[in-house]
Amino acid sequence: MAPRHPPEERVAARGSALGALLHAQEALLAASAIAAGLGGLRTRSAPARLAGEARCFVRLLAAYVERPSRGALASATAAQVRAGAFAVSTQEEQRSIISLWGRVVAPILAGSGSASDARTVEDALGRMEAMVSDASAAWEPRRIDVVVVGASAGGLGALMELLGPFDAALPATLLVALHLSEHSHGLVPTLLSRHTGLDVAWAVDGAALHLGHAFVAPPGGHLVARADGLHVVAGPPVHYVRPSADALFESAAKTFGAHVASVILSGTGSDGADGTRVVKAHGGLTFVQAPSAAEFRGMPDAAIGTGDVRHVMRADRIGEELKATIARGRHEP
């Protein structure tokens, strides 16, 4: 007679086998989820990022069915909330994502040969939803996912230093208002992309705020950030300039509140000072390039003069500090 195993051992063995099945079908499941509309739920994830997030979800689901220690599961879930499959998502979006995956996994389970697999996955998805919700609630007040930058004369070199530490895995979007001639030759994104791992592009009206991207306001238009994406508007000059850092900062702060960090770099004039006040008033973090390190200190001095600047440092140090803050979360109110 074959030895009989305790129920918990049988559950563990079945979970291990189901986890192995999910791992083996990872690429297929990821492609199926994208075809089923995952991108419509993850609007801040560009296609290349979306594919990676889909694979991460399959691995997380496999962990839930395999039932490691609660601590290990909580750690894996928190990682996906901070920078992975659930980065920058609301509870409603999380429920929709998990529901979509339930439909995606169903055909695989139908051919697994075990009716209990569907119940196991349903239970795993239910537990995942609860743990994702808890992890998201803990992370939300610490999250920074929109960085707005203002610069003018001498600002291009400072921008290169600022963007240097970042790469395309960054779970945040950078938006740049750089004072340019309306007849600019248009090479700014190309030049910046040589100094960063971020994807750099001109901002286009209606574009999504893709994570791991830096968008530069085009010459002659104000860049504003709203809940439905980016908008490039004509409008009159603000402080004699267009694009204006003030217009960008104020729109981002009013839309994303405490999830915003602002940066003022080298430049003449006072553009960005009023915007810095608004970012601080809405709970965001404020950074300014040290005037002594800026080629032109007008904009840094004006921002510091508001009394609302939290960090003053070299441009490269701002980049390093922001990258660390986005990864670990802010520690200040």
Side-chain angles (χ1 to χ4, degrees):
M1 178 181 294
R4 300 183 66 182
H5 299 285
E8 61 272 17
E9 291 186 12
R10 294 198 297 274
V11 169
R14 190 61 206 166
S16 179
L18 181 53
L21 173 64
L22 293 171
H23 284 300
Q25 299 294 331
E26 180 181 296
L28 173 61
L29 289 168
S32 298
I34 292 171
L38 182 61
L41 302 176
R42 298 288 298 148
T43 56
R44 291 190 62 180
S45 296
R49 184 184 185 96
L50 192 66
E53 290 182 357
R55 287 177 173 268
C56 285
F57 185 97
V58 177
R59 294 167 201 160
L60 183 64
L61 178 57
Y64 270 86
V65 301
E66 291 166 351
R67 292 180 175 268
S69 70
R70 182 171 179 82
L73 208 52
S75 178
T77 302
Q80 293 307 312
V81 166
R82 293 185 176 205
F86 296 100
V88 196
S89 61
T90 65
Q91 286 196 352
E92 181 179 355
E93 290 166 343
Q94 292 158 14
R95 287 192 293 269
S96 296
I97 291 167
I98 290 172
S99 176
L100 179 145
W101 275 102
R103 299 192 300 273
V104 167
V105 175
I108 297 292
L109 301 180
S112 71
S114 172
S116 66
D117 284 350
R119 293 191 297 273
T120 299
V121 168
E122 183 179 1
D123 172 70
L125 291 172
R127 288 184 292 117
M128 181 192 294
E129 183 175 325
M131 291 188 73
V132 166
S133 178
D134 290 345
S136 182
W139 178 243
E140 196 274 342
R142 300 172 57 192
R143 192 183 81 228
I144 296 291
D145 60 82
V146 176
V147 178
V148 290
V149 184
S152 187
L156 184 58
L159 266 171
M160 293 174 181
E161 295 177 5
L162 172 73
L163 300 184
F166 300 123
D167 57 41
L170 189 77
T173 310
L174 277 76
L175 306 175
V176 179
L178 174 64
H179 300 162
L180 296 167
S181 164
E182 295 195 12
H183 306 291
S184 170
H185 50 69
L187 292 178
V188 170
T190 301
L191 294 173
L192 292 176
S193 67
R194 296 172 182 169
H195 297 269
T196 182
L198 294 170
D199 291 312
V200 186
W202 289 117
V204 176
D205 190 67
L209 280 78
H210 282 159
L211 305 177
H213 284 59
F215 295 100
V216 182
H222 292 304
L223 175 61
V224 297
R226 298 177 182 146
D228 62 346
L230 300 178
H231 295 272
V232 179
V233 299
V238 178
H239 294 301
Y240 308 103
V241 294
R242 186 178 58 212
S244 162
D246 281 334
L248 172 60
F249 286 22
E250 291 175 15
S251 68
K254 291 175 181 178
T255 301
F256 300 104
H259 300 309
V260 173
S262 66
V263 181
I264 291 293
L265 300 175
S266 173
T268 58
S270 62
D271 185 35
D274 289 342
T276 297
R277 289 192 187 97
V278 177
V279 169
K280 179 65 181 301
H282 284 77
L285 298 181
T286 52
F287 294 77
V288 170
Q289 183 181 13
S292 60
E295 188 174 347
F296 293 88
R297 57 186 298 160
M299 285 173 61
D301 278 338
I304 292 170
T306 66
D308 288 324
V309 173
R310 180 67 178 83
H311 302 282
V312 180
M313 56 187 72
R314 299 191 320 267
D316 60 331
R317 285 286 297 114
I318 294 175
E320 293 167 359
E321 181 64 24
L322 275 171
K323 182 178 180 180
T325 300
I326 291 167
R328 71 171 184 256
R330 58 189 293 173
H331 293 293
E332 58 194 85

